[in-house]
Amino acid sequence: MSEVVVYGVPGSPFMRSVLIALEEKHAPYRVEPLAPGALKSEEYRRLHPFGRVPAIRHGEFQLYETQAILRYVDGAFRGPALQPGDAESIGRMNQAIGINDWYLFPQVARVIVFERIVGPALFGKTPDEEAIAAALPDARLCLGELDRLLGRGTHLAGTEFSLADVQLAPQIEYLAATPEGESILAGTALRTWLERVAKRPSMRATLPPEPLRRAA
Ligand SMILES: N[C@@H](CCC(=O)N[C@@H](CS)C(=O)NCC(=O)O)C(=O)O
């Protein structure tokens, strides 16, 4: 089968989720790195009209939106299934992914991770402490709710590693590297989950580039 071409900005947690899924499936792929400024170009918008990353090309097939890409990768390649088979676990998996896309990324990670890690490391920016402080209630809510839903489970959708872990791990690993995330996660089951998931070869093979890793 032909390789998957992944278009993305190195360090993007959404792109990393796609790379983790490809690694888990042992699927052939290569990354086509984009500079942040290239996302709104006419050329890239032919692949992703909304100008975000990631997007993929697999042969003639093109796809954007991380959830859709993850489900496509799980269906298109052999290898361990990344989606559970029972209705409850599927519900939990989709719920966690929804929390990421609607609350955790836009209201929390996009602010705290950008201000603490991405902005200083890539753009020499000083963190906006007011913006970080304003995002803290949502950070507590999102991480607290994911911790509650995880409960005593080993993974976000129950006992098996799934697309919920694939989607959430890159976001929460970045957050855990900020003082705010570290303090909220301290002593939680979610912290233990992160440590467990971070040891997977797919996570280790897809670490963010050096400046972001160092900042983290
Ligand atoms: N809904 C999109 C969100 C992707 C997203 O927001 N990616 C960020 C990078 S992590 C991005 O492209 N940011 C550029 C921008 O906001 O202009 C998905 O699931 O793929």
Side-chain angles (χ1 to χ4, degrees):
M1 195 166 236
S2 62
E3 69 180 2
V4 177
V5 184
V6 182
Y7 297 84
V9 177
S12 151
F14 284 98
M15 176 171 93
R16 188 176 176 201
S17 294
V18 169
L19 303 185
I20 291 167
L22 289 162
E23 289 279 342
E24 291 281 341
K25 301 296 273 191
H26 306 293
Y29 72 89
R30 81 178 151 85
V31 172
E32 199 63 53
L34 299 166
L39 302 192
K40 312 301 177 205
S41 71
E42 218 176 286
E43 190 191 352
Y44 182 66
R45 278 187 194 269
R46 279 199 281 276
L47 201 56
H48 196 319
F50 299 94
R52 299 254 180 143
V53 292
I56 64 160
R57 201 191 297 275
H58 189 205
E60 296 298 303
F61 186 60
Q62 295 181 7
L63 198 60
Y64 63 84
E65 282 308 298
T66 305
Q67 286 201 43
I69 298 171
L70 295 182
R71 291 186 167 91
Y72 171 75
V73 167
D74 193 31
F77 295 96
R78 290 167 192 263
L82 297 175
Q83 298 174 82
D86 67 286
E88 272 192 19
S89 303
I90 294 170
R92 281 277 175 254
M93 178 187 76
N94 290 332
Q95 184 180 41
I97 291 174
I99 290 172
N100 180 67
D101 286 4
W102 282 85
Y103 315 116
L104 185 71
F105 177 70
Q107 293 165 25
V108 179
R110 203 171 190 204
V111 180
I112 297 179
V113 172
F114 182 81
E115 294 298 333
R116 285 274 180 246
I117 298 178
V118 181
L122 298 190
F123 307 110
K125 196 175 174 293
T126 304
D128 179 340
E129 298 295 339
E130 264 183 46
I132 293 170
L136 278 179
D138 282 330
R140 289 193 197 97
L141 176 61
C142 289
L143 295 175
E145 182 57 3
L146 287 165
D147 185 55
R148 185 186 74 80
L149 291 168
L150 174 66
R152 294 178 180 190
T154 53
H155 293 91
L156 289 172
T159 52
E160 301 300 322
F161 182 79
S162 79
L163 295 183
D165 307 290
V166 172
Q167 182 88 314
L168 270 298
Q171 306 278 357
I172 297 180
E173 192 170 69
Y174 262 147
L175 273 168
T178 68
E180 291 75 18
E182 187 185 15
S183 136
I184 296 169
L185 288 165
T188 63
L190 200 59
R191 174 79 236 183
T192 310
W193 159 85
L194 180 62
E195 281 160 19
R196 182 181 308 118
V197 171
K199 289 188 184 128
R200 295 182 78 86
S202 61
M203 286 283 288
R204 303 182 80 93
T206 59
L207 288 170
E210 193 52 38
L212 295 170
R213 227 184 300 168
R214 230 193 346 261

mmCIF file of all heavy atoms in Angstrom, residues 30-54:
data_model
loop_
_atom_site.group_PDB
_atom_site.id
_atom_site.type_symbol
_atom_site.label_atom_id
_atom_site.label_comp_id
_atom_site.label_asym_id
_atom_site.label_seq_id
_atom_site.Cartn_x
_atom_site.Cartn_y
_atom_site.Cartn_z
ATOM 1 N N ARG A 30 5.178 9.503 5.460
ATOM 2 C CA ARG A 30 6.227 10.528 5.539
ATOM 3 C C ARG A 30 5.557 11.862 5.862
ATOM 4 O O ARG A 30 4.371 12.058 5.544
ATOM 5 C CB ARG A 30 7.056 10.584 4.262
ATOM 6 C CG ARG A 30 6.464 11.354 3.130
ATOM 7 C CD ARG A 30 7.411 11.370 1.925
ATOM 8 N NE ARG A 30 6.654 11.471 0.696
ATOM 9 C CZ ARG A 30 6.251 12.622 0.181
ATOM 10 N NH1 ARG A 30 6.550 13.764 0.770
ATOM 11 N NH2 ARG A 30 5.537 12.646 -0.931
ATOM 12 N N VAL A 31 6.339 12.729 6.508
ATOM 13 C CA VAL A 31 5.797 14.038 6.905
ATOM 14 C C VAL A 31 6.241 15.090 5.898
ATOM 15 O O VAL A 31 7.402 15.117 5.487
ATOM 16 C CB VAL A 31 6.301 14.412 8.322
ATOM 17 C CG1 VAL A 31 5.909 15.844 8.669
ATOM 18 C CG2 VAL A 31 5.763 13.434 9.350
ATOM 19 N N GLU A 32 5.316 15.911 5.484
ATOM 20 C CA GLU A 32 5.611 17.072 4.640
ATOM 21 C C GLU A 32 5.493 18.283 5.554
ATOM 22 O O GLU A 32 4.383 18.765 5.825
ATOM 23 C CB GLU A 32 4.574 17.124 3.519
ATOM 24 C CG GLU A 32 4.908 17.950 2.306
ATOM 25 C CD GLU A 32 6.119 17.465 1.523
ATOM 26 O OE1 GLU A 32 6.183 16.284 1.153
ATOM 27 O OE2 GLU A 32 7.006 18.310 1.294
ATOM 28 N N PRO A 33 6.641 18.759 6.103
ATOM 29 C CA PRO A 33 6.536 19.831 7.107
ATOM 30 C C PRO A 33 6.157 21.166 6.487
ATOM 31 O O PRO A 33 6.607 21.514 5.396
ATOM 32 C CB PRO A 33 7.958 19.903 7.701
ATOM 33 C CG PRO A 33 8.844 19.168 6.774
ATOM 34 C CD PRO A 33 8.026 18.356 5.826
ATOM 35 N N LEU A 34 5.305 21.900 7.178
ATOM 36 C CA LEU A 34 4.858 23.209 6.708
ATOM 37 C C LEU A 34 5.273 24.265 7.720
ATOM 38 O O LEU A 34 5.227 24.018 8.927
ATOM 39 C CB LEU A 34 3.328 23.238 6.604
ATOM 40 C CG LEU A 34 2.666 22.248 5.650
ATOM 41 C CD1 LEU A 34 1.167 22.190 5.942
ATOM 42 C CD2 LEU A 34 2.927 22.649 4.211
ATOM 43 N N ALA A 35 5.643 25.445 7.228
ATOM 44 C CA ALA A 35 5.892 26.574 8.133
ATOM 45 C C ALA A 35 4.530 27.124 8.532
ATOM 46 O O ALA A 35 3.581 27.070 7.725
ATOM 47 C CB ALA A 35 6.700 27.636 7.408
ATOM 48 N N PRO A 36 4.395 27.650 9.778
ATOM 49 C CA PRO A 36 3.087 28.169 10.194
ATOM 50 C C PRO A 36 2.495 29.146 9.177
ATOM 51 O O PRO A 36 1.293 29.133 8.912
ATOM 52 C CB PRO A 36 3.386 28.862 11.533
ATOM 53 C CG PRO A 36 4.601 28.164 12.058
ATOM 54 C CD PRO A 36 5.399 27.733 10.845
ATOM 55 N N GLY A 37 3.328 29.953 8.541
ATOM 56 C CA GLY A 37 2.842 30.951 7.571
ATOM 57 C C GLY A 37 2.242 30.345 6.315
ATOM 58 O O GLY A 37 1.511 31.021 5.587
ATOM 59 N N ALA A 38 2.537 29.070 6.058
ATOM 60 C CA ALA A 38 2.078 28.446 4.806
ATOM 61 C C ALA A 38 0.635 27.963 4.886
ATOM 62 O O ALA A 38 0.026 27.641 3.860
ATOM 63 C CB ALA A 38 2.988 27.276 4.455
ATOM 64 N N LEU A 39 0.069 27.934 6.110
ATOM 65 C CA LEU A 39 -1.247 27.304 6.275
ATOM 66 C C LEU A 39 -2.370 28.053 5.558
ATOM 67 O O LEU A 39 -3.374 27.459 5.187
ATOM 68 C CB LEU A 39 -1.614 27.172 7.757
ATOM 69 C CG LEU A 39 -0.654 26.376 8.637
ATOM 70 C CD1 LEU A 39 -1.267 26.082 9.981
ATOM 71 C CD2 LEU A 39 -0.245 25.094 7.956
ATOM 72 N N LYS A 40 -2.197 29.354 5.422
ATOM 73 C CA LYS A 40 -3.284 30.133 4.800
ATOM 74 C C LYS A 40 -3.007 30.389 3.316
ATOM 75 O O LYS A 40 -3.715 31.178 2.688
ATOM 76 C CB LYS A 40 -3.490 31.466 5.553
ATOM 77 C CG LYS A 40 -3.584 31.324 7.077
ATOM 78 C CD LYS A 40 -4.722 30.422 7.553
ATOM 79 C CE LYS A 40 -4.687 30.291 9.086
ATOM 80 N NZ LYS A 40 -5.284 29.099 9.620
ATOM 81 N N SER A 41 -1.983 29.748 2.781
ATOM 82 C CA SER A 41 -1.677 29.956 1.358
ATOM 83 C C SER A 41 -2.762 29.305 0.498
ATOM 84 O O SER A 41 -3.414 28.339 0.913
ATOM 85 C CB SER A 41 -0.315 29.354 1.010
ATOM 86 O OG SER A 41 -0.413 27.936 1.043
ATOM 87 N N GLU A 42 -2.896 29.834 -0.710
ATOM 88 C CA GLU A 42 -3.889 29.293 -1.645
ATOM 89 C C GLU A 42 -3.608 27.825 -1.927
ATOM 90 O O GLU A 42 -4.526 27.004 -1.993
ATOM 91 C CB GLU A 42 -3.811 30.093 -2.948
ATOM 92 C CG GLU A 42 -5.152 30.344 -3.585
ATOM 93 C CD GLU A 42 -4.987 31.223 -4.794
ATOM 94 O OE1 GLU A 42 -4.760 32.440 -4.622
ATOM 95 O OE2 GLU A 42 -5.059 30.664 -5.896
ATOM 96 N N GLU A 43 -2.321 27.510 -2.074
ATOM 97 C CA GLU A 43 -1.935 26.133 -2.400
ATOM 98 C C GLU A 43 -2.356 25.168 -1.283
ATOM 99 O O GLU A 43 -2.974 24.134 -1.536
ATOM 100 C CB GLU A 43 -0.416 26.077 -2.604
ATOM 101 C CG GLU A 43 0.038 24.751 -3.173
ATOM 102 C CD GLU A 43 1.551 24.610 -3.109
ATOM 103 O OE1 GLU A 43 2.249 25.591 -2.767
ATOM 104 O OE2 GLU A 43 2.021 23.487 -3.382
ATOM 105 N N TYR A 44 -2.053 25.522 -0.020
ATOM 106 C CA TYR A 44 -2.402 24.603 1.074
ATOM 107 C C TYR A 44 -3.921 24.527 1.277
ATOM 108 O O TYR A 44 -4.465 23.480 1.603
ATOM 109 C CB TYR A 44 -1.689 25.001 2.374
ATOM 110 C CG TYR A 44 -1.999 24.025 3.497
ATOM 111 C CD1 TYR A 44 -1.561 22.702 3.430
ATOM 112 C CD2 TYR A 44 -2.771 24.401 4.596
ATOM 113 C CE1 TYR A 44 -1.871 21.784 4.417
ATOM 114 C CE2 TYR A 44 -3.082 23.487 5.602
ATOM 115 C CZ TYR A 44 -2.621 22.181 5.504
ATOM 116 O OH TYR A 44 -2.945 21.267 6.484
ATOM 117 N N ARG A 45 -4.598 25.648 1.031
ATOM 118 C CA ARG A 45 -6.065 25.633 1.211
ATOM 119 C C ARG A 45 -6.765 24.707 0.221
ATOM 120 O O ARG A 45 -7.911 24.346 0.415
ATOM 121 C CB ARG A 45 -6.625 27.053 1.118
ATOM 122 C CG ARG A 45 -6.487 27.832 2.420
ATOM 123 C CD ARG A 45 -7.223 29.141 2.273
ATOM 124 N NE ARG A 45 -6.903 30.102 3.292
ATOM 125 C CZ ARG A 45 -7.566 30.219 4.450
ATOM 126 N NH1 ARG A 45 -8.540 29.406 4.723
ATOM 127 N NH2 ARG A 45 -7.241 31.163 5.315
ATOM 128 N N ARG A 46 -6.058 24.302 -0.823
ATOM 129 C CA ARG A 46 -6.657 23.308 -1.729
ATOM 130 C C ARG A 46 -6.720 21.942 -1.037
ATOM 131 O O ARG A 46 -7.553 21.108 -1.343
ATOM 132 C CB ARG A 46 -5.846 23.208 -3.025
ATOM 133 C CG ARG A 46 -6.202 24.322 -3.998
ATOM 134 C CD ARG A 46 -5.770 23.982 -5.413
ATOM 135 N NE ARG A 46 -4.335 24.200 -5.599
ATOM 136 C CZ ARG A 46 -3.791 25.381 -5.901
ATOM 137 N NH1 ARG A 46 -4.557 26.427 -6.088
ATOM 138 N NH2 ARG A 46 -2.490 25.503 -6.033
ATOM 139 N N LEU A 47 -5.829 21.756 -0.053
ATOM 140 C CA LEU A 47 -5.806 20.508 0.713
ATOM 141 C C LEU A 47 -6.676 20.642 1.966
ATOM 142 O O LEU A 47 -7.330 19.696 2.399
ATOM 143 C CB LEU A 47 -4.347 20.231 1.109
ATOM 144 C CG LEU A 47 -3.902 18.837 1.473
ATOM 145 C CD1 LEU A 47 -4.222 17.866 0.349
ATOM 146 C CD2 LEU A 47 -2.397 18.850 1.736
ATOM 147 N N HIS A 48 -6.627 21.833 2.578
ATOM 148 C CA HIS A 48 -7.375 22.090 3.818
ATOM 149 C C HIS A 48 -7.961 23.497 3.737
ATOM 150 O O HIS A 48 -7.297 24.472 4.087
ATOM 151 C CB HIS A 48 -6.428 21.971 5.025
ATOM 152 C CG HIS A 48 -7.133 21.832 6.342
ATOM 153 N ND1 HIS A 48 -8.259 22.551 6.672
ATOM 154 C CD2 HIS A 48 -6.868 21.045 7.411
ATOM 155 C CE1 HIS A 48 -8.644 22.218 7.896
ATOM 156 N NE2 HIS A 48 -7.824 21.296 8.363
ATOM 157 N N PRO A 49 -9.210 23.621 3.272
ATOM 158 C CA PRO A 49 -9.794 24.950 3.043
ATOM 159 C C PRO A 49 -9.810 25.830 4.295
ATOM 160 O O PRO A 49 -9.895 27.053 4.191
ATOM 161 C CB PRO A 49 -11.223 24.639 2.585
ATOM 162 C CG PRO A 49 -11.184 23.232 2.101
ATOM 163 C CD PRO A 49 -10.116 22.537 2.888
ATOM 164 N N PHE A 50 -9.746 25.218 5.504
ATOM 165 C CA PHE A 50 -9.787 26.003 6.736
ATOM 166 C C PHE A 50 -8.384 26.409 7.209
ATOM 167 O O PHE A 50 -8.243 27.070 8.232
ATOM 168 C CB PHE A 50 -10.526 25.222 7.831
ATOM 169 C CG PHE A 50 -11.955 24.917 7.437
ATOM 170 C CD1 PHE A 50 -12.286 23.711 6.841
ATOM 171 C CD2 PHE A 50 -12.955 25.859 7.613
ATOM 172 C CE1 PHE A 50 -13.593 23.428 6.447
ATOM 173 C CE2 PHE A 50 -14.269 25.592 7.226
ATOM 174 C CZ PHE A 50 -14.590 24.382 6.643
ATOM 175 N N GLY A 51 -7.368 25.963 6.484
ATOM 176 C CA GLY A 51 -6.004 26.410 6.773
ATOM 177 C C GLY A 51 -5.457 25.936 8.105
ATOM 178 O O GLY A 51 -4.754 26.673 8.797
ATOM 179 N N ARG A 52 -5.789 24.719 8.485
ATOM 180 C CA ARG A 52 -5.250 24.158 9.737
ATOM 181 C C ARG A 52 -4.455 22.895 9.414
ATOM 182 O O ARG A 52 -4.532 22.362 8.303
ATOM 183 C CB ARG A 52 -6.403 23.782 10.670
ATOM 184 C CG ARG A 52 -7.269 24.968 11.071
ATOM 185 C CD ARG A 52 -6.993 25.351 12.480
ATOM 186 N NE ARG A 52 -7.810 26.477 12.882
ATOM 187 C CZ ARG A 52 -8.321 26.597 14.104
ATOM 188 N NH1 ARG A 52 -8.137 25.645 15.000
ATOM 189 N NH2 ARG A 52 -9.008 27.664 14.436
ATOM 190 N N VAL A 53 -3.749 22.380 10.397
ATOM 191 C CA VAL A 53 -3.059 21.096 10.234
ATOM 192 C C VAL A 53 -3.572 20.140 11.296
ATOM 193 O O VAL A 53 -3.990 20.580 12.368
ATOM 194 C CB VAL A 53 -1.527 21.252 10.369
ATOM 195 C CG1 VAL A 53 -0.971 22.036 9.221
ATOM 196 C CG2 VAL A 53 -1.117 21.857 11.716
ATOM 197 N N PRO A 54 -3.549 18.845 10.980
ATOM 198 C CA PRO A 54 -2.945 18.178 9.826
ATOM 199 C C PRO A 54 -3.932 17.955 8.695
ATOM 200 O O PRO A 54 -5.152 18.146 8.832
ATOM 201 C CB PRO A 54 -2.548 16.823 10.417
ATOM 202 C CG PRO A 54 -3.656 16.533 11.400
ATOM 203 C CD PRO A 54 -4.038 17.868 11.980
#
